[in-house]
Amino acid sequence: MQVLKFGGTSVANAENIHKVVAIVKQAVQREKTIVIVSALGGITDTLLRAGQLAASGQENYKELLQVSEQRHLETVKSLIPVALQSSVLSWVKQRCNEIEDICNGVFLLGELSARTRDRIISFGELLSSRIISERLKSVSTPNEWKDSRELIVTDSTFGFAAIDFSATNKKVQEYFSGSAESLFMAPGFIASDAHGATTTIGRGGSDYTAAIFAAATNATIVEIWTDVSGMMTADPRLVPNAKVIPHISYQEAMELSHFGAKVIYPPTIQPVMNKNIPVWIKNTFAPDDYGTLIESRTVKNGSSIRGISSINKIVLLSLEGSGMIGIPGFSKRLFEALANERINVILITQGSSEHSICVGIDESSVHEAKKTVDNAFAYEIETKKVEPIIVERELAIVALVGDNMKSHPGTSGKMFGALGRNGVNVRAIAQGSSERNISAVIAVADVRKAINILHEEFFETTYKQVNLFVTGVGNVGSRLLSQLAQQRRYLEEHLHLQVRVVGIANSRKMAFNEEGIDLNNWRQLLEDAVPMSLQEYIEVIRSKNLRNSVFADVTANDKVAETYDQLLSKSISVVACNKVACSSSFSYYKKLKDLAREYNASFAFETNVGAGLPVIGTLNDLLRSGDKINRIEAVLSGTLNFVFNHYKGEKTFAEVVKQAQDEGYTEPDPRLDLSGTDVMRKIMILARETGERLELEDIHNISFMPESCMKGDVANFYQEMSKHEDHFKKLYAEAAGAGKKLKFVAKYESGKASVGLQHIDANHDFYHLYGKDNVVLFYTNRYTEQPLVVKGAGAGAEVTASGVFADIIRTAKM
Ligand code: ADP
Ligand code: ASP
Ligand code: MG
């Protein structure tokens, strides 16, 4: 004997039933077969809803029943040849009338008991199995239809009835051995109690019906035909990268389904496991796919875990109090109280201090649970030995499952490390002593993210996905996007990184796409997108709650810099070429660094000093390796360097500054460069990175700009510079006359920083500094006579973008 079960989607309509019929026709050629079917997809829910509406006095239950009746009649008309239709149609019509009669009764009484509810929903499977049986007959596949209620005996827990296996097995064996037929059709999900009343065996229970028949008849196999190609490493609706698990043990399958893998109803495994009958999950819509074979032996898959699942709607109940320590019997009383109310405990944890016990239960039982536990401990609560029970809602369980975890130390470390890095807070943890399951209780809002993180950690050795938000798409931002597009293949192949740009924004518009924005068409997409609102933009990034999120700030905007704390505190890494945050108050700079550490995020700003040059990285490497920075001397303004290298008294000073701006070497506001403010910020950031508590006011700036240039707007700035051409000529001539060059130099030594124009002679490291180059000299305990020198192009959109790019990649590899 073999048992085949077809789920709701597989029999949802005539078209799908054709596929089922083809599979059954092949199967009967192999051996004697029992076919179990679910109700037409969605019908159980429709009937349930009709019953509820009727009970609450709403007449539109009739409309739902109409819909259900029409669907069944249509299915008959499309499946059964006209000559044979009438008897089937009239049988279906009679059943539909019965449902309506019952619902009318419910409507009149205004009451729906669990028993009546079971009666109503039982019609779904009755109708579908009968219709499919008739279809098979009409295509010359004779079969015997049997009402499962005559074979499966349960107790009277309506909605969730427990099987009386000894009575059931006897009836099933008698019936099947007494028939010479080679194909049987029967409804799943339904049974009857000792008094003959209709019961159901739990939502999704048709799988269980198949297992009960299989175990009783010692079947060779149970095939569960559904709408996916097997049991997967995670729920495919949550994890797009989930993969089919070809082989899995009974225990693993049971554990995964208990923890939410809906593909098989959890109690299904038990009866077949006892008899060692394999269960094969197959896809009705892709019958050639291998599917999943569930058996007793486990096949190693190279990973310590087999799958990940989750259950939402969990509530944590915590019983706490110093009066519990060392006194036996508290947990017994807690569990007894819950058991008396038939409340199922899904997860238990107890700290070894015995100061608290914590249990996870289904949200639907929370009121009864609180009442019964508070009652049970009324005396202790009154005498303050324990606190009234604490209830926490909106929680979920995520569980890793695998027989092999036993022999793989480090699984839980990896699990909690990955969750922690992504800011998923874990409320409670449980690991069974079988070491087949590690469960974590987390917020419902974090489930999708958590499952994807864990899936990536345990199954996707191939790629790590980084979700990037690029804010600012001007000179630097647009180049960053094109570098990302160009390097995509390389990153995937060599670093196993998949960088997805999920959001982009400029000051006017913002666009999102979780699948990744098309980097060849981002300008148009942004043009067509919604208006930018910074707070909304940040809120979307936070609420998307995507794993490995990185926020790249490629603006020079102070409002954007003010949002970093909101991002870091959600474990979203920040990569900034915007200098505002690091050069604002020391306390904000420090706060951001602390937040990054606290929430396992990265806060990277290498491009704040020297654009793409490795200045901050080098400084940190020196410090980390135990060196001490004694002095820093640097030319840090690509703009000023460009200006003084090009100004020879031929073109006017204003013209040279304009050229620098036009070629993209200045800050968006060139006055920040010319005033020396930008250099002050940079030397301050370097000083802060060495641990110095420096503020901008502490830095000495000997400005070379006439005061009037810095008043008013940018237009005025250029005008005033032209007026003061003589001043600039004089500066140049003085230096040139002495064979020296003008450089704007920043210094930091013994806690003091200064910036100003200097005459540099030909022997100095700064003399041969061309174009827009920057140079930084680090004098340290190890580099005493000759400094460590970092030198190269220190401005320009392309090199700045590449610096931001490098920070993003370093963050991603963290
Ligand atoms: P049927 O109606 O055939 O019984 P179900 O809807 O009960 O089908 O179960 C199949 C569905 O279970 C799939 O469509 C899938 O969305 C969901 N599912 C959840 N977790 C998993 C998992 N780990 N592997 C496969 N499917 C899963
Ligand atoms: N039709 C029932 C349900 O929807 C049983 C099943 O499909 O397995 O729960
Ligand atoms: Mg199911």
Side-chain angles (χ1 to χ4, degrees):
M1 185 74 84
Q2 59 183 349
V3 182
L4 274 61
K5 176 260 169 177
F6 294 88
T9 324
S10 303
V11 298
N13 49 43
E15 192 189 334
N16 296 359
I17 293 173
H18 285 309
K19 298 191 166 67
V20 170
V21 166
I23 293 164
V24 172
K25 281 181 103 168
Q26 279 208 340
V28 275
Q29 307 195 340
R30 295 196 296 266
E31 66 183 300
K32 215 165 163 171
T33 304
I34 305 172
V35 172
I36 306 297
V37 294
S38 290
L40 307 191
I43 286 294
T44 312
D45 286 332
T46 306
L47 295 176
L48 255 181
R49 181 94 191 105
Q52 284 158 350
L53 286 175
S56 61
Q58 287 169 268
E59 270 197 81
N60 51 352
Y61 72 89
K62 291 193 174 142
E63 288 161 25
L64 288 185
L65 295 183
Q66 264 303 312
V67 171
S68 158
E69 179 171 329
Q70 273 314 312
R71 253 186 87 185
H72 288 101
L73 294 175
E74 290 302 327
T75 309
V76 172
K77 284 180 197 154
S78 349
L79 288 175
I80 315 281
V82 180
L84 307 171
Q85 257 177 31
S86 65
S87 69
V88 188
L89 284 175
S90 99
W91 186 87
V92 168
K93 185 85 189 122
Q94 278 168 31
R95 299 290 86 72
C96 291
N97 290 345
E98 276 176 56
I99 307 174
E100 194 172 352
D101 287 346
I102 300 168
C103 286
N104 290 342
V106 169
F107 179 74
L108 286 175
L109 292 170
E111 181 195 69
L112 178 63
S113 67
R115 177 182 165 137
T116 308
R117 194 189 309 128
D118 270 4
R119 191 64 209 292
I120 295 172
I121 57 180
S122 71
F123 283 97
E125 267 72 4
L126 273 180
L127 287 161
S128 66
S129 59
R130 189 61 188 264
I131 293 169
I132 297 165
S133 162
E134 295 301 331
R135 166 69 193 179
L136 281 161
K137 284 182 193 160
S138 75
V139 291
S140 49
T141 311
N143 64 86
E144 199 165 289
W145 180 82
K146 182 67 179 172
D147 186 341
S148 304
R149 292 177 298 181
E150 291 167 24
L151 301 178
I152 301 182
V153 186
T154 67
D155 70 4
S156 305
T157 316
F158 295 99
F160 207 76
I163 312 296
D164 174 348
F165 275 98
S166 65
T168 301
N169 288 347
K170 194 158 159 277
K171 286 191 173 203
V172 172
Q173 280 151 10
E174 268 172 21
Y175 172 72
F176 287 106
S177 59
S179 171
E181 193 58 69
S182 56
L183 176 62
F184 303 89
M185 288 289 311
F189 184 52
I190 61 176
S192 52
D193 69 5
H195 314 287
T198 298
T199 57
T200 61
I201 57 177
R203 289 304 305 269
S206 295
D207 299 336
Y208 195 19
T209 307
I212 294 164
F213 281 146
T217 58
N218 283 319
T220 52
I221 195 156
V222 180
E223 294 179 3
I224 303 286
W225 289 82
T226 181
D227 59 356
V228 278
S229 289
M231 200 154 197
M232 304 178 95
T233 47
D235 186 338
R237 291 164 298 186
L238 295 176
V239 180
N241 294 338
K243 293 180 206 48
V244 172
I245 308 168
H247 296 273
I248 190 168
S249 73
Y250 290 122
Q251 265 89 5
E252 288 171 324
M254 198 143 54
E255 205 93 36
L256 271 179
S257 65
H258 262 296
F259 280 90
K262 188 193 172 210
V263 64
I264 190 156
Y265 180 57
T268 307
I269 308 289
Q270 193 73 45
V272 285
M273 179 172 77
N274 293 343
K275 293 266 178 114
N276 227 336
I277 301 167
V279 179
W280 206 347
I281 301 178
K282 294 281 290 176
N283 189 344
T284 305
F285 307 96
D288 292 334
D289 287 356
Y290 182 79
T292 299
L293 192 56
I294 309 174
E295 290 176 293
S296 58
R297 68 195 167 87
T298 48
V299 183
K300 290 219 160 91
N301 64 344
S303 167
S304 57
I305 71 162
R306 193 76 75 179
I308 305 166
S309 50
S310 65
I311 325 178
N312 287 350
K313 301 211 170 107
I314 294 292
V315 170
L316 269 191
L317 304 178
S318 309
L319 189 63
E320 285 184 19
S322 48
M324 289 163 58
I325 301 173
I327 299 172
F330 271 91
S331 42
K332 171 179 171 276
R333 284 166 58 201
L334 171 65
F335 294 119
E336 220 162 48
L338 294 170
N340 288 342
E341 291 295 316
R342 303 183 73 93
I343 294 164
N344 184 30
V345 174
I346 303 173
L347 170 141
I348 307 166
T349 62
Q350 177 179 24
S352 59
S353 71
E354 299 180 38
H355 177 263
S356 70
I357 310 176
C358 179
V359 296
I361 62 166
D362 189 278
E363 195 178 79
S364 60
S365 328
V366 61
H367 295 297
E368 294 92 319
K370 178 158 173 52
K371 212 160 95 193
T372 181
V373 177
D374 280 344
N375 260 337
F377 292 96
Y379 172 74
E380 283 84 356
I381 292 170
E382 200 178 323
T383 54
K384 306 242 183 288
K385 286 200 174 79
V386 300
E387 305 290 326
I389 194 132
I390 301 163
V391 178
E392 286 169 274
R393 294 163 202 265
E394 303 275 310
L395 297 174
I397 297 177
V398 291
L400 296 190
V401 171
D403 287 342
N404 261 332
M405 284 197 293
K406 254 203 274 296
S407 44
H408 281 74
T411 309
S412 56
K414 207 167 155 188
M415 174 180 187
F416 296 112
L419 293 175
R421 275 198 304 283
N422 280 279
V424 175
N425 185 34
V426 175
R427 282 288 304 109
I429 298 171
Q431 173 174 28
S433 58
S434 68
E435 291 189 49
R436 195 173 285 123
N437 169 322
I438 308 176
S439 305
V441 178
I442 61 172
V444 167
D446 283 333
V447 167
R448 180 181 285 269
K449 177 173 167 188
I451 301 244
N452 276 285
I453 293 164
L454 295 173
H455 198 268
E456 192 170 84
E457 194 74 23
F458 287 95
F459 292 106
E460 296 168 39
T461 40
T462 42
Y463 295 117
K464 176 173 181 184
Q465 189 184 309
V466 176
N467 294 298
L468 181 64
F469 299 87
V470 177
T471 313
V473 289
N475 265 343
V476 179
S478 59
R479 287 200 175 65
L480 172 65
L481 291 173
S482 66
Q483 290 176 9
L484 283 165
Q486 190 198 326
Q487 282 302 95
R488 221 185 65 189
R489 286 274 301 281
Y490 180 89
L491 294 179
E492 288 185 3
E493 272 171 33
H494 297 272
L495 298 178
H496 297 299
L497 282 181
Q498 214 166 44
V499 181
R500 234 176 227 189
V501 179
V502 176
I504 49 175
N506 59 17
S507 55
R508 295 178 302 107
K509 296 282 178 80
M510 56 182 184
F512 297 96
N513 184 351
E514 268 184 51
E515 304 299 313
I517 287 168
D518 177 2
L519 294 185
N520 297 315
N521 190 30
W522 64 265
R523 280 178 205 279
Q524 192 56 46
L525 290 170
L526 192 59
E527 206 41 55
D528 301 340
V530 294
M532 171 69 167
S533 136
L534 181 60
Q535 203 40 53
E536 210 178 297
Y537 180 66
I538 299 298
E539 212 26 66
V540 172
I541 296 172
R542 281 166 54 99
S543 62
K544 275 193 184 293
N545 205 7
L546 298 174
R547 67 193 185 282
N548 309 323
S549 286
V550 180
F551 179 87
D553 178 1
V554 223
T555 71
N557 184 292
D558 39 353
K559 289 280 172 292
V560 177
E562 281 165 20
T563 64
Y564 299 171
D565 53 345
Q566 299 174 48
L567 296 160
L568 292 168
S569 58
K570 271 285 241 177
S571 299
I572 298 165
S573 291
V574 173
V575 170
C577 79
N578 183 352
K579 285 188 262 299
V580 172
C582 287
S583 56
S584 65
S585 69
F586 182 83
S587 62
Y588 187 55
Y589 160 84
K590 179 77 174 33
K591 177 181 177 189
L592 297 178
K593 291 223 131 193
D594 290 346
L595 282 174
R597 196 168 312 122
E598 184 179 351
Y599 291 95
N600 287 305
S602 143
F603 175 38
F605 43 87
E606 176 62 270
T607 48
N608 278 198
V609 181
L613 292 181
V615 178
I616 295 176
T618 304
L619 172 59
N620 280 310
D621 284 344
L622 289 171
L623 293 171
R624 272 193 288 262
S625 67
D627 205 350
K628 183 170 174 292
I629 311 290
N630 299 319
R631 181 154 52 104
I632 301 172
E633 279 183 32
V635 173
L636 290 173
S637 171
T639 317
L640 290 178
N641 210 34
F642 179 94
V643 169
F644 289 114
N645 277 334
H646 284 77
Y647 182 59
K648 309 241 155 50
E650 293 147 15
K651 277 191 195 166
T652 68
F653 193 77
E655 279 165 353
V656 176
V657 172
K658 188 74 181 61
Q659 187 189 347
Q661 182 173 18
D662 291 345
E663 293 186 21
Y665 300 137
T666 67
E667 288 289 305
D669 180 346
R671 288 172 305 177
L672 284 175
D673 294 304
L674 272 291
S675 64
T677 309
D678 188 55
V679 176
M680 287 165 76
R681 287 173 173 180
K682 288 173 180 166
I683 193 73
M684 178 172 73
I685 293 170
L686 293 183
R688 284 178 173 179
E689 286 291 287
T690 68
E692 194 65 45
R693 253 181 186 278
L694 213 62
E695 302 286 359
L696 211 58
E697 306 84 79
D698 304 332
I699 300 174
H700 193 53
N701 180 355
I702 317 138
S703 175
F704 64 89
M705 289 293 282
E707 240 173 69
S708 62
C709 297
M710 293 306 164
K711 293 188 178 132
D713 56 11
V714 176
N716 176 71
F717 163 72
Y718 277 109
Q719 255 173 27
E720 286 296 314
M721 273 194 294
S722 305
K723 284 190 202 156
H724 287 88
E725 178 58 19
D726 283 350
H727 163 72
F728 297 111
K729 267 209 172 106
K730 192 163 155 247
L731 285 178
Y732 173 74
E734 272 173 14
K740 300 191 178 177
K741 284 189 181 175
L742 285 171
K743 298 284 168 200
F744 196 78
V745 176
K747 269 194 190 153
Y748 168 69
E749 188 170 11
S750 314
K752 298 224 169 349
S754 62
V755 302
L757 204 57
Q758 290 192 4
H759 290 183
I760 301 293
D761 67 38
N763 302 325
H764 199 283
D765 280 310
F766 291 166
Y767 191 82
H768 296 287
L769 202 58
Y770 303 105
K772 54 203 182 294
D773 281 3
N774 278 13
V775 60
V776 184
L777 315 181
F778 290 109
Y779 292 88
T780 74
N781 281 358
R782 290 182 196 143
Y783 294 89
T784 44
E785 275 132 51
Q786 290 304 318
L788 187 157
V789 182
V790 182
K791 181 176 168 183
E798 199 70 52
V799 289
T800 307
S802 76
V804 175
F805 192 122
D807 266 348
I808 293 170
I809 301 308
R810 270 190 292 272
T811 297
K813 297 291 284 179
M814 221 173 57

